[in-house]
Amino acid sequence: MLAHVGVRSQIGRVGRAAAIPLRRYLDWRFDRLETRLDELDGGSGRISAEALARIDLTEHNTGRSPPRFQSIVSQAVSAAQFFDPEFERLRRFLYPGSVILPWGASPGPMLHRKVWEFVYVLRAAEQYGVVSSGCHALGFGVGREPIPAALAAHGVSVLATDLDASEREAGAWAESSQHLSSLEALSAPGIVPDDVLERQVSVRYVDMNAVPDDLGTFDLVWSCCAFEHLGGARAGLDFVSRTLDLLRPGGVSVHTTELELTARTTTAEYGHIVVYRPSDLDGFAEEVRDRGFSIETNWYVAMETPADRWIAHHPYDDPAHLKLVIGDSVSTSVGLLIHRPA
């Protein structure tokens, strides 16, 4: 199981009883956040009533229950998952101090979907037993994610890829400090020493629209909010399908993307980004199963707490960032978890 040495020893001392004090600790943090969100909701009008009014979760939630984090499937982010002791354990491993995202710090008890995405990938890898020495992992569109460092800390051999810096599309990612320019960009001494990172992680430039045949096979393949930027809805799903060819028996392909929360008859394609409907992902899940892979889906979207109902707007300096406006869409993060049977 992934755990920073200090966190592992702390949890080991208190055993399963850790869930109770941890819950109390989290309750205190999130109570403060909920209070702040309530104040903003009622006072400053930062929550968009118009965006909230357009949300229609009939397709997402009918016949479904909120997903758990201890045993994940293909599912959407929610505030409740941040309360789970397993989530907090992995979050502390990735961010032993302040939460530092590629574009800056997120001080305090901020609920940010990017943090959920990184933790979701690691939890999926744990769940299927592909986080140990001898395992091989491949990341696409890695940028400056902490995932390669986390895997390297546990002896996993990692190939981290990103778009070549000479490609026009790479410029925008570089400007927002989200492009992988070199191995040094993945340095995370709080997670793993640099010499171990250098030994376990290699870097290669790869176009996700033209995945080469010489990458090899892997126990884990992942990407975080990357395939919706490949030029169209089908292009993104074709990429995910292509990653299944790279899996070893027993391996997992884990990807996060945008989930549409408004009712639409067609998929929202904005040129630079796609927002997938549940029906798009359901259709793709059937394609995956037809190929002999397994995928379990639960598109339930939570609206129970102020953090779940907060709709972030550009420039996204919000106290919670689980849902946001993209063009005419309201979106949230969703993870796809696909397993190749042994």
Side-chain angles (χ1 to χ4, degrees):
M1 301 247 296
L2 285 167
H4 189 276
V5 174
V7 175
R8 177 178 289 171
S9 62
Q10 179 183 359
I11 293 177
R13 286 196 300 270
V14 297
R16 287 293 180 184
I20 296 174
L22 178 58
R23 177 72 188 213
R24 289 171 181 164
Y25 164 72
L26 289 172
D27 282 348
W28 175 76
R29 292 172 64 217
F30 287 104
D31 281 348
R32 291 199 306 162
L33 176 61
E34 298 279 282
T35 299
R36 176 60 176 151
L37 288 167
D38 279 334
E39 291 172 353
L40 292 172
D41 190 7
S44 69
R46 289 289 299 277
I47 292 181
S48 170
E50 184 272 335
L52 282 170
R54 290 192 291 113
I55 291 178
D56 183 346
L57 301 179
T58 304
E59 186 178 5
H60 307 68
N61 293 2
T62 300
R64 296 189 175 105
S65 301
R68 300 184 304 150
F69 193 80
Q70 290 192 352
S71 179
I72 62 172
V73 297
S74 297
Q75 65 194 57
V77 64
S78 66
Q81 293 175 59
F82 285 74
F83 282 90
D84 191 287
E86 291 299 295
F87 182 96
E88 179 66 3
R89 173 178 61 83
L90 290 171
R91 198 278 305 167
R92 287 191 181 190
F93 174 59
L94 288 177
Y95 300 103
S98 299
V99 174
I100 306 296
L101 296 171
W103 47 90
S106 298
M110 183 176 186
L111 276 69
H112 200 293
R113 68 196 192 116
K114 274 299 176 189
V115 175
W116 178 86
E117 291 175 24
F118 299 154
V119 173
Y120 175 86
V121 170
L122 293 184
R123 184 60 185 152
E126 273 193 350
Q127 191 167 295
Y128 284 93
V130 294
V131 189
S132 61
S133 180
C135 289
H136 290 73
L138 169 63
F140 286 97
V142 165
R144 299 187 178 184
E145 297 171 5
I147 294 174
L151 295 173
H154 287 78
V156 178
S157 296
V158 181
L159 176 56
T161 74
D162 209 341
L163 191 64
D164 193 307
S166 64
E167 297 290 337
R168 179 175 57 84
E169 293 85 352
W173 299 114
E175 289 176 6
S176 60
S177 300
Q178 297 181 72
H179 183 260
L180 176 58
S181 56
S182 64
L183 181 61
E184 288 73 21
L186 298 174
S187 175
I191 300 175
V192 65
D194 283 340
D195 63 317
V196 177
L197 183 80
E198 184 175 356
R199 184 171 65 248
Q200 295 297 127
V201 181
S202 57
V203 171
R204 177 172 171 176
Y205 292 126
V206 170
D207 183 347
M208 293 170 62
N209 275 315
V211 176
D213 295 326
D214 63 348
L215 293 177
T217 58
F218 302 86
D219 303 287
L220 168 66
V221 180
W222 89 89
S223 71
C224 290
C225 264
F227 74 79
E228 66 271 20
H229 299 289
L230 296 184
R234 190 64 242 180
L237 297 178
D238 285 345
F239 160 77
V240 177
S241 184
R242 174 72 177 94
T243 69
L244 304 184
D245 301 332
L246 306 176
L247 288 180
R248 296 174 175 178
V252 287
S253 187
V254 190
H255 307 271
T256 64
T257 191
E258 303 290 348
L259 180 64
E260 180 70 68
L261 304 183
T262 69
R264 301 183 68 97
T265 57
T266 59
T267 307
E269 297 181 295
Y270 297 105
H272 68 293
I273 192 170
V274 174
V275 183
Y276 290 95
R277 301 169 298 163
S279 58
D280 298 321
L281 302 181
D282 281 333
F284 180 68
E286 287 303 312
E287 296 177 23
V288 167
R289 296 184 186 108
D290 287 345
R291 292 185 57 188
F293 296 85
S294 64
I295 178 172
E296 182 179 349
T297 63
N298 181 357
W299 311 132
Y300 184 94
V301 173
M303 296 293 286
E304 287 82 0
T305 72
D308 288 309
R309 295 189 296 273
W310 186 271
I311 312 298
H313 295 263
H314 188 78
Y316 307 124
D317 56 345
D318 305 80
H321 189 90
L322 304 183
K323 297 178 175 69
L324 73 161
V325 172
I326 300 176
D328 295 327
S329 301
V330 180
S331 178
T332 193
S333 290
V334 66
L336 301 182
L337 173 53
I338 305 168
H339 177 237
R340 178 176 182 176

